């Protein structure tokens, strides 16, 4: 897909570094044309290879060193280029130029990732997703290294290696890959009350997104905005997907991992190739510095979110992804994010997790990319030119002219000069800091359960049920009974009913424990508060549920048409046209890849019943026509065709039976349904294309999940 964004300086810069082999001759890395790329240089046709073969040596040596270490976390990723457009000026709060001039477009590169798995692991692991954005602003690169969940597992950076060691495959046998369902993770978590809020998110459907395009993004920490007058506001960053926030079912996620482990990567790539550009509203929650202590939690605590009911999210711009990378390694693999890549007008808070991150990201690039010159890799370059006295190092690209590599200097005329603030020179926000040197945690970080409870209580019933089942799944994989018991004890502090439901499936008994919901303000005198009961301000936050994020659109939804010989060609093409005109994507599935004869001619399917599964689609249409239905019900196809339907039904998807396909309907699990189901549309019963479109737009009928699974 070609660059459709005009004046995208970043893409122009990347273009200057790209090469094409079109009409070119094969050469060595030294530019020597190669005459034979099939045989190595030997002593005689059947003799040994000669050490002299510099062409062979160069090729194999390069190959031997083609891999770089994968990221220690967030190894598996998918990236895309795009643009951020500002729709509302934030100049009253920040002097960052890309957030000040309405209409301004800033090129971006975004990398989504899973956290725990290796580079080659499945996309549908139950996991947090990384959502890292590099804004190539005219004032330098600004990186917002975010996640799809607004809180984190731990409060202090010093616990990060422990957390990651616990979730990664166990060190003796390197099992399991990309999964938290194992002893070491839950051992650690059950001993970490501060993780409970994040665990609610991780066990919720947020951890198994339908698409990277249907996830929210959160900066997690409180950052600071600084305006021209030097006034500070705390800020939390949010991305809200225009397609709504949607997930798959856990059973589905596990099937997708087998049917298409690249499901998310492919989905993002195809959407961009198809011109269905993913979009997010970018929003901020702003808190004047002087209101820092108005909450019943500490703004610096990364295990807490600010309920939108207390501080609304102000939407200020749109993030659009509109171009796939040209080369995965050069761009997605080599991109190097760092929360410390700032521009004037944005600064850190004293969140102890953020403070630790500020060290880690450059440090990790040194071993991953192998040189302090990683900023010179094209994807990492800023669009304004870099001028400083840093020199040399592995793989230096820049050729700095002249004798001067120090400052102050007179030989170089004093250049490069420091920039004054008025010229865009960065200055850290002035803040009074005083305190004892202590290795301690603030008492204002001690309430670990109120927001875990808030999250759980804010979920719709199907979401709560999924969360319970996720905990049962994960803890059932724990082999040490004491860990399961400890975890149930933790859940009991969040919600007794949740703990009971989970315990029931684990063979653990729960005594009703008292719930310690003490929320303590940052400036509180702890000893005075010890016996005081405090209730959190917000008890339910609708924004925390995905239920109300459904948008009335079928844009980019993937709909499988199951057809066989004798299908009604007109019905298929009419529905296909209707769906595509509304932005959906239709793919044909038949018993084999051979062209399907319809009553009007023939059409070529994209998939065969055995090469793809219903979990790769959002909805199914069973192509009209008795003959087609009869072929689908033939002994060699019947099992696969019904499996498609039954699975789609179980996963609460919309299914549309074209006329003449009753035999499939009658033989499926749907025939036993108890009540009206708005997402099962049967032509013979008066079901229409419009009803199907409406059902697809609703995403899933999660409310009917119990019934559909009976
Ligand atoms: Fe990261 N994190 N992180 N992290 N993180 C990395 O940097 C780290 C944290 C996040 O697509 C690493 O280049 C520490 C929170 C994303 O390239 C590493 C701590 C959040 C990505 C690192 C955290 C994140 C990373 C590994 C606790 C959400 C992928 C490779 C103090 C706000 C970026 C790399 C990409 C990657 C360290 C916690 C988000 C090792 C020490 C909280 C999206 O530097």
């Amino acid at each position: 897909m070609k660059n459709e964004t005009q004046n995208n300086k970043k893409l122009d810069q990347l273009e200057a570094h790209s090469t094409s082999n079109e009409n070119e001759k094969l050469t060595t890395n030294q530019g020597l044309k190669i005459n034979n790329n099939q045989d190595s240089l030997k002593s005689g046709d059947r003799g040994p290879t000669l050490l002299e073969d510099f062409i062979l040596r160069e090729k194999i040596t390069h190959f031997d060193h083609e891999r770089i270490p994968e990221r220690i976390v967030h190894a598996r990723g998918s990236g895309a280029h795009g643009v951020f457009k500002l729709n509302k000026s934030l100049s009253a709060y920040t002097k960052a130029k890309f957030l000040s001039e309405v209409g301004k477009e800033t090129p971006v590169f975004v990398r989504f990732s899973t956290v725990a798995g290796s580079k080659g692991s499945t996309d549908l692991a139950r996991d947090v997703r990384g959502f890292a954005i590099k804004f190539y602003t005219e004032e330098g690169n600004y990186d917002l290294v975010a996640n799809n969940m607004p809180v984190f597992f731990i409060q202090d950076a010093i616990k990060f290696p422990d957390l990651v060691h616990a979730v990664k495959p166990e060190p003796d046998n390197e099992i399991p890959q990309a999964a938290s369902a194992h002893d070491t993770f839950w051992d650690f978590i059950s001993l970490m009350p501060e993780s409970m809020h994040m665990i609610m998110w991780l066990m919720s459907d947020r951890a198994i997104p339908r698409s990277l395009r249907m996830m929210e993004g959160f900066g997690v920490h409180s950052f600071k905005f600084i305006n021209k007058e030097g006034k500070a506001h705390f800020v939390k960053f949010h991305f809200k997907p225009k397609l709504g926030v949607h997930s798959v079912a856990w059973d589905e996620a596990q099937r997708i991992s087998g049917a298409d482990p690249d499901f998310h990567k492919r989905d993002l790539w195809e959407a961009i190739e198809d011109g269905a550009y993913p979009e997010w509203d970018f929003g901020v929650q702003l808190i004047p510095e002087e209101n820092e202590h108005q909450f019943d939690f500490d703004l610096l605590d990364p295990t807490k979110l600010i309920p939108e009911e207390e501080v609304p999210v102000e939407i200020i711009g749109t993030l659009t992804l509109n171009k796939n990378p040209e080369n995965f390694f050069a761009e997605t693999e080599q991109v190097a994010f760092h929360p410390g890549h700032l521009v004037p007008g944005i600064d850190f808070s004293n969140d102890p997790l953020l403070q630790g991150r500020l060290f880690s990201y450059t440090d990790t690039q040194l071993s991953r990319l192998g040189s302090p010159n990683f900023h010179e890799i094209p994807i990492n370059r800023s669009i304004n030119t870099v001028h400083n006295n840093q020199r040399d190092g592995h793989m230096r690209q820049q050729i700095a002219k002249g004798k001067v590599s120090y400052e102050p200097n007179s030989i170089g005329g004093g250049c490069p000069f420091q920039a004054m603030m008025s010229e865009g020179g960065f200055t850290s926000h002035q803040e009074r800091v005083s305190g004892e040197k202590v290795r301690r945690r603030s008492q204002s970080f001690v309430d670990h359960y109120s927001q875990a409870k808030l999250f759980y209580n804010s979920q719709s019933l199907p979401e709560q049920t999924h969360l319970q089942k996720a905990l049962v799944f994960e803890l059932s994989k724990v082999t040490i009974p004491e860990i399961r018991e400890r975890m149930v004890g933790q859940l009991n502090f969040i919600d007794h009913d949740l703990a009971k439901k989970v315990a029931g499936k684990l063979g653990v008994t729960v005594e009703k424990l008292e719930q310690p919901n003490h929320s303590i303000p940052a400036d509180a005198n702890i000893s005075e508060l010890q016996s005081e009961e405090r209730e959190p301000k917000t008890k339910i936050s609708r924004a925390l549920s995905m239920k109300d994020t459904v948008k009335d659109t079928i844009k980019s939804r993937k709909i499988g048409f199951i057809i066989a010989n004798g299908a009604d060609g007109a019905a298929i093409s009419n529905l296909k046209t209707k769906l595509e005109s509304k932005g959906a994507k239709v793919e044909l599935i038949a018993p084999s890849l051979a062209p399907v004869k319809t009553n009007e001619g023939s059409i070529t399917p994209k998939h065969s019943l055995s090469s793809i599964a219903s979990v790769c689609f959002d909805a199914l249409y069973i192509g009209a026509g008795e003959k087609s239905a009869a072929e689908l019900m033939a002994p060699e196809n019947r099992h696969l065709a019904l499996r498609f339907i039954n699975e789609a039904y179980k996963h609460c998807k919309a299914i549309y039976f074209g006329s003449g396909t009753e035999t499939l309907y009658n033989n499926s699990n749907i025939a036993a349904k108890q009540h009206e189901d708005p997402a099962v549309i049967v032509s013979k019963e008066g079901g229409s294309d419009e009803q199907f479109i409406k059902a697809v737009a609703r995403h899933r009928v999660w409310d009917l999940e119990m019934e559909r699974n009976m």
Side-chain angles (χ1 to χ4, degrees):
M1 166 90 2
K2 275 280 141 242
N3 169 20
E4 289 186 7
T5 317
Q6 296 305 307
N7 303 323
N8 187 325
K9 280 195 195 158
K10 186 63 201 174
L11 294 182
D12 295 343
Q13 192 190 50
L14 288 173
E15 188 59 31
H17 286 274
S18 35
T19 56
S20 153
N21 289 332
E22 215 175 313
N23 297 326
E24 297 290 352
K25 294 278 187 277
L26 187 70
T27 72
T28 66
N29 284 336
Q30 304 306 316
L32 174 73
K33 290 196 180 104
I34 295 176
N35 168 259
N36 178 347
N37 191 34
Q38 316 307 319
D39 305 298
S40 48
L41 193 67
K42 299 183 204 78
S43 165
D45 283 357
R46 301 181 61 250
T49 302
L50 299 179
L51 182 62
E52 180 193 315
D53 190 349
F54 64 97
I55 296 180
L56 170 74
R57 285 199 331 263
E58 183 201 79
K59 187 171 174 181
I60 301 254
T61 306
H62 195 278
F63 170 77
D64 289 345
H65 298 270
E66 267 173 19
R67 286 288 165 272
I68 61 171
E70 64 175 35
R71 288 165 172 82
I72 168 78
V73 280
H74 296 265
R76 180 165 179 82
S78 310
H81 293 276
V83 65
F84 168 67
K85 187 170 178 197
L86 190 72
N87 302 326
K88 188 172 175 189
S89 175
L90 283 177
S91 60
Y93 306 99
T94 173
K95 57 190 171 191
K97 284 198 180 148
F98 81 107
L99 296 175
S100 295
E101 294 166 30
V102 172
K104 193 173 187 65
E105 295 197 357
T106 305
V108 297
F109 186 78
V110 174
R111 183 175 180 274
F112 302 105
S113 47
T114 51
V115 178
S118 289
K119 193 166 169 273
S121 56
T122 174
D123 279 343
L124 264 290
R126 173 176 291 285
D127 203 349
V128 190
R129 299 299 185 287
F131 192 142
I133 305 119
K134 196 177 276 295
F135 295 86
Y136 301 97
T137 87
E138 63 186 79
E139 298 180 289
N141 291 346
Y142 171 59
D143 291 355
L144 183 45
V145 197
N147 275 349
N148 76 328
M149 298 178 189
V151 290
F152 204 64
F153 296 92
I154 48 171
Q155 295 175 320
D156 191 301
I158 202 164
K159 297 310 299 167
F160 191 65
D162 298 301
L163 165 72
V164 175
H165 289 172
V167 73
K168 284 273 181 184
E170 297 185 4
D172 50 354
N173 56 12
E174 184 79 358
I175 297 174
Q177 180 54 247
S180 50
H182 59 110
D183 285 349
T184 57
F185 179 69
W186 288 103
D187 184 24
F188 175 80
I189 291 297
S190 62
L191 295 166
M192 293 288 288
E194 70 198 59
S195 300
M196 288 312 128
H197 186 193
M198 181 64 167
I199 285 300
M200 290 294 101
W201 284 83
L202 189 69
M203 293 299 113
S204 81
D205 293 345
R206 303 276 184 150
I208 38 173
R210 155 63 183 87
S211 161
L212 302 170
R213 305 174 290 123
M214 298 172 197
M215 305 189 312
E216 284 180 292
F218 303 92
V220 175
H221 315 279
S222 298
F223 289 88
K224 272 184 184 169
F225 271 162
I226 317 296
N227 68 10
K228 283 207 176 71
E229 289 73 45
K231 177 162 170 51
H233 280 77
F234 286 97
V235 57
K236 292 262 192 192
F237 294 111
H238 294 251
F239 292 91
K240 290 179 181 284
K242 296 233 185 184
L243 293 173
V245 191
H246 294 297
S247 290
V248 298
W250 176 232
D251 179 69
E252 195 183 353
Q254 292 174 85
R255 278 276 284 142
I256 295 174
S257 291
D260 185 5
D262 304 303
F263 187 72
H264 283 156
K265 203 183 269 278
R266 191 186 311 282
D267 169 272
L268 179 68
W269 180 276
E270 287 182 352
I272 294 175
E273 289 301 299
D274 293 344
Y277 298 146
E279 286 183 317
W280 285 261
D281 284 324
F282 180 47
V284 288
Q285 283 176 302
L286 294 164
I287 304 99
E289 201 178 24
E290 57 275 17
N291 293 352
E292 177 177 359
H293 300 297
Q294 77 173 25
F295 302 96
D296 47 24
F297 51 87
D298 195 325
L299 269 193
L300 302 185
D301 175 355
T303 66
K304 305 296 183 298
L305 52 83
I306 308 178
E308 291 187 29
E309 288 72 10
E310 292 180 37
V311 180
V313 175
E314 215 176 306
I315 302 300
I316 53 132
T318 312
L319 171 72
T320 308
L321 299 182
N322 55 16
K323 187 182 174 297
N324 279 317
E326 297 289 342
N327 183 291
F328 181 85
F329 181 84
E331 298 169 81
T332 311
E333 192 60 14
Q334 291 200 113
V335 66
F337 295 95
H338 178 24
H341 292 163
L342 287 189
V343 290
I346 307 181
D347 215 326
F348 315 119
S349 70
N350 294 332
D351 173 342
L353 190 70
L354 173 60
Q355 294 280 320
R357 292 180 75 197
L358 298 179
F359 163 71
S360 182
Y361 287 70
T362 305
D363 186 45
T364 204
Q365 311 308 347
L366 295 179
S367 70
R368 194 171 75 80
L369 299 169
S371 156
N373 290 320
F374 65 84
H375 63 281
E376 294 194 330
I377 296 172
I379 192 71
N380 294 327
R381 290 189 178 203
S382 64
I383 53 171
N384 48 351
T385 48
V386 169
H387 301 279
N388 58 41
N389 294 314
Q390 292 169 27
R391 291 291 184 273
D392 311 345
H394 278 294
M395 301 293 169
R396 186 68 173 181
Q397 310 283 304
Q398 194 185 46
I399 301 172
K401 290 187 191 164
K403 292 178 189 300
V404 175
S405 55
Y406 53 89
E407 194 271 351
N409 68 68
S410 66
I411 299 176
C415 301
F417 301 113
Q418 294 181 160
M420 290 189 291
M421 260 166 83
S422 59
E423 297 168 318
F426 181 85
T427 52
S428 291
H429 177 55
Q430 259 190 358
E431 184 186 9
R432 174 175 291 281
V433 179
S434 71
E436 305 281 297
K437 190 193 284 180
V438 289
R439 199 178 276 285
R440 258 198 337 242
R441 198 155 309 182
S442 167
Q443 282 292 336
S444 54
F445 281 37
V446 297
D447 169 18
H448 304 313
Y449 300 106
S450 298
Q451 288 210 346
K453 203 178 181 63
L454 167 69
F455 180 80
Y456 185 70
N457 289 340
S458 302
Q459 302 303 295
S460 63
L461 196 59
E463 287 171 302
Q464 282 191 346
T465 311
H466 290 170
L467 199 155
Q468 290 153 14
K469 287 186 173 167
L471 280 161
V472 170
F473 177 93
E474 296 264 322
L475 294 171
S476 299
K477 302 274 184 188
V478 169
T479 62
I480 300 166
E482 291 73 25
I483 299 177
R484 295 200 291 259
E485 276 162 26
R486 218 159 46 217
M487 211 33 238
V488 168
Q490 288 294 340
L491 296 178
N492 203 30
F493 286 122
I494 300 170
D495 187 275
H496 183 60
D497 185 51
L498 167 68
K500 231 170 49 189
K501 283 197 168 117
V502 173
K505 298 278 183 190
L506 298 176
V508 174
T509 45
V510 206
E511 265 91 69
K512 189 158 174 51
L513 301 175
E514 216 174 298
Q515 319 246 328
N517 275 318
H518 302 258
S519 306
I520 302 174
D523 55 352
N525 178 334
I526 301 305
S527 52
E528 275 177 21
L529 275 171
Q530 256 152 12
S531 59
E532 197 183 325
E533 280 288 327
R534 296 185 69 87
E535 283 291 319
K537 223 182 265 171
T538 307
K539 303 219 170 49
I540 302 274
S541 172
R542 290 179 68 135
L544 302 183
S545 164
M546 308 190 325
K547 189 169 187 257
D548 299 330
T549 69
V550 180
K551 310 278 189 249
D552 188 17
T553 174
I554 62 168
K555 204 175 148 197
S556 83
R557 291 309 175 123
K558 211 163 162 185
I559 299 166
F561 278 28
I562 301 184
I563 55 168
N565 289 316
D568 182 339
I572 290 171
S573 64
N574 283 346
L575 181 61
K576 185 167 182 286
T577 310
K578 258 190 218 169
L579 293 169
E580 287 175 348
S581 72
K582 294 188 180 297
K585 189 167 177 170
V586 170
E587 290 182 359
L588 305 182
I589 309 153
S592 80
L593 289 186
V596 172
K597 291 191 195 78
T598 68
N599 55 350
E600 295 195 319
S602 82
I603 37 179
T604 306
K606 177 162 184 190
H607 309 282
S608 69
L609 284 173
S610 60
S611 67
I612 194 119
S614 76
V615 290
C616 298
F617 298 92
D618 289 299
L620 293 181
Y621 168 62
I622 316 302
E626 275 173 27
K627 276 195 196 150
S628 164
E631 188 175 322
L632 290 170
M633 282 301 286
E636 68 274 22
N637 300 327
R638 180 192 166 97
H639 166 70
L640 288 174
L642 290 177
R643 178 164 144 170
F644 254 85
I645 295 168
N646 291 337
E647 268 186 3
Y649 183 63
K650 178 174 166 189
H651 299 144
C652 302
K653 296 175 183 175
I655 312 175
Y656 183 10
F657 289 87
S659 64
T661 62
E662 293 75 35
T663 168
L664 284 148
Y665 177 85
N666 291 334
N667 282 285
S668 73
N669 294 347
I670 310 173
K673 72 176 176 152
Q674 316 278 307
H675 306 290
E676 265 319 293
D677 186 329
V680 175
I681 291 110
V682 184
S683 225
K684 198 177 169 207
E685 293 171 5
S688 66
D689 295 357
E690 284 61 40
Q691 278 173 355
F692 180 55
I693 290 168
K694 222 165 140 188
V696 177
R698 270 196 301 259
H699 183 63
R700 303 292 175 83
V701 281
W702 293 129
D703 290 334
L704 295 181
E705 195 170 16
M706 284 278 267
E707 181 189 319
R708 280 187 169 215
N709 283 329
M710 275 193 310

